[in-house]
Amino acid sequence: EKGGYDYFMLKEIAEQPKAVADTLLGRIDPSGSLTLDEVRISPSELREVDKVVIVACGTAFHAGLIAKYAIEHWTRIPCEVELASEFRYRDPILDSRSLVIAISQSGETMDTLMALRHAREQGSKVLAICNTNGSTIPRESDAVLYTHAGPEVAVASTKCFLTQLVACYLVALYLGQVRGTKWGDEIQAVIKDLSRISEEVERVLETMEPVRALARTLASKDTVLFLGRHVGYPVALEGALKLKELAYMHAEGFAAGELKHGPIALIEEDVPVVVVVPSSRGRSVLHDKIVSNIQEIRARGARTIVIAEEGDEAVVPYADHLIRIPATPTLLQPLVATVPLQVFACELATARGNEVDQPRNLAKSVTVE
Ligand code: F6R
């Protein structure tokens, strides 16, 4: 049932192009507009929304962090993202005009369920993004957009993360479409790019051998740091989470702009630092800033592992290891940039002799608070 792979995680990483395509299937019509018929919140209700709040845990929370960039950019609706376990304990400000999005692979995560119950008690509408048909979270929500990743067996989430991102982009684009805000050429172009993105994910998967080889050389390290900015920041957090849970290594993700506010003190000789470089198209200011960050940490001895778009030559002189990903629009980059980090964590875990599909102390679905 592992389809010839040693671990479910490897199989699920390889299934990502299909999972992404399946999640898009039937949701973008030939004219380029979006139909999300499982969203049983009326367009007029969606036009009333004045705030979006995303609640989730772990990897799903990282998908939510990325969704915030897309939702605010495409719809101009303020969006907060909060760990479900923190949410209801701080008396959050919610009312009938708040749209709460609960993201959960299993649909059974107790923290997320309690957060959505709290939101509904305040009169907010809840939209679930979920991978498990008929599970508790979608049953208790006003609307659901299912991710079509298929069953995910490995404890560490991979293909579900990518499909959660796709679902978040669809929701953001749909909100933009319904409300008519910023619904212009950019959004049409993004929809086109999104419909081609599964091929790009496939291309990334075809080039992962050097990433595996690199991971094996780092098996005896204690720490790996991850840097990113803009949507690359949550990608860095996700890369670090995968490494913690699978390789049991100290791994931390930072916003690259925060380096000089503290984390740069951690840089010492030969510490591996993975840097997710923003797309050089569109947000070139951020791109240039991160190139200087790479220079700074390298000057202090870091071993730089740079994930950058094809054609980005500016990073070449400062990359001890260069991992290429296809060029995509800025907001979609996490769909391709996360894949090497999953492969990296999986290979490091294997090299350290860890059980990849069943990491110690973890459960696939966390049904207690
Ligand atoms: C990480 C991982 C966990 C889950 C989290 C939420 O690889 O699997 O962090 O993402 O426990 O689970 P769901 O999405 O089922 O609510």
Side-chain angles (χ1 to χ4, degrees):
E1 54 189 13
K2 291 180 194 151
Y5 292 93
D6 289 343
Y7 308 107
F8 280 107
M9 185 177 175
L10 288 172
K11 173 171 176 268
E12 288 161 5
I13 288 173
E15 284 170 349
Q16 291 185 112
K18 182 172 186 312
V20 163
D22 287 350
T23 300
L24 287 164
L25 197 70
R27 287 168 170 167
I28 299 177
D29 77 20
S31 72
S33 77
L34 295 157
T35 31
L36 300 183
D37 44 18
E38 312 95 315
V39 179
R40 291 178 307 267
I41 303 176
S42 70
S44 64
E45 283 170 312
L46 289 176
R47 276 191 286 271
E48 291 296 304
V49 168
D50 64 2
K51 173 162 96 167
V52 175
V53 181
I54 301 177
V55 290
C57 304
T59 288
F61 172 70
H62 297 153
L65 290 176
I66 293 165
K68 174 186 166 81
Y69 290 83
I71 289 171
E72 291 196 338
H73 180 67
W74 289 329
T75 73
R76 311 309 295 157
I77 309 172
C79 175
E80 295 166 17
V81 193
E82 188 149 352
L83 290 167
S85 56
E86 288 293 322
F87 183 65
R88 74 192 169 109
Y89 297 103
R90 64 167 182 91
D91 194 14
I93 301 166
L94 294 169
D95 58 31
S96 61
R97 299 181 67 179
S98 318
L99 174 67
V100 173
I101 303 178
I103 308 175
S104 175
Q105 182 284 128
S106 62
E108 302 295 347
T109 299
M110 188 55 75
D111 288 312
T112 311
L113 180 61
M114 297 312 274
L116 90 79
R117 283 184 183 160
H118 183 78
R120 292 198 73 195
E121 279 162 18
Q122 316 301 307
S124 306
K125 293 277 181 218
V126 176
L127 164 66
I129 291 177
C130 184
N131 196 52
T132 311
N133 254 298
S135 55
T136 311
I137 287 172
R139 273 194 282 117
E140 294 204 14
S141 298
D142 297 286
V144 51
L145 181 61
Y146 280 109
T147 49
H148 294 156
E152 191 177 64
V153 177
V155 165
S157 186
T158 54
K159 62 177 180 172
C160 283
F161 177 69
L162 259 62
T163 61
Q164 284 162 355
L165 289 177
V166 168
C168 289
Y169 293 129
L170 288 174
V171 169
L173 293 166
Y174 183 72
L175 279 173
Q177 186 182 48
V178 165
R179 298 164 63 96
T181 42
K182 278 247 173 179
W183 182 250
D185 296 347
E186 180 188 336
I187 288 183
Q188 287 300 330
V190 167
I191 290 175
K192 270 214 188 71
D193 285 310
L194 203 50
S195 55
R196 280 193 299 257
I197 203 82
S198 94
E199 293 155 41
E200 307 291 8
V201 176
E202 186 70 60
R203 279 181 52 216
V204 177
L205 287 170
E206 284 160 10
T207 59
M208 287 298 96
E209 205 36 60
V211 176
R212 288 193 190 96
L214 168 64
R216 289 191 290 268
T217 68
L218 301 174
S220 62
K221 294 281 179 195
D222 301 317
T223 295
V224 181
L225 304 177
F226 295 76
L227 295 179
R229 68 187 297 166
H230 195 261
V231 290
Y233 169 44
V235 171
L237 296 177
E238 174 61 7
L241 178 62
K242 286 280 109 65
L243 205 59
K244 281 174 206 158
E245 53 181 342
L246 294 162
Y248 317 149
M249 290 166 86
H250 171 229
E252 264 194 90
F254 299 107
E258 276 291 293
L259 257 186
K260 56 186 171 304
H261 301 291
I264 199 162
L266 290 170
I267 304 295
E268 54 187 42
E269 201 55 37
D270 217 34
V271 62
V273 185
V274 179
V275 187
V276 183
V277 178
S279 114
S280 46
R281 117 161 96 131
R283 301 253 183 285
S284 54
V285 183
L286 291 186
H287 173 268
D288 296 352
K289 285 183 190 289
I290 218 163
V291 174
S292 358
N293 291 143
I294 303 173
Q295 279 175 264
E296 282 158 11
I297 57 172
R298 196 158 184 267
R300 288 163 179 80
R303 168 132 50 127
T304 57
I305 302 167
V306 176
I307 301 182
E309 279 184 353
E310 284 156 5
D312 182 343
E313 296 307 318
V315 296
V316 175
Y318 316 111
D320 294 312
H321 307 274
L322 186 54
I323 301 170
R324 288 296 191 186
I325 52 175
T328 58
T330 307
L331 284 165
L332 302 187
Q333 198 202 45
L335 288 169
V336 290
T338 306
V339 176
L341 301 181
Q342 300 166 339
V343 171
F344 182 73
C346 185
E347 192 67 29
L348 253 166
T350 312
R352 288 164 71 93
N354 298 351
E355 173 51 63
V356 171
D357 287 335
Q358 286 290 337
R360 67 186 181 197
N361 309 339
L362 293 174
K364 183 65 183 162
S365 101
V366 184
T367 53
V368 288
E369 256 195 285

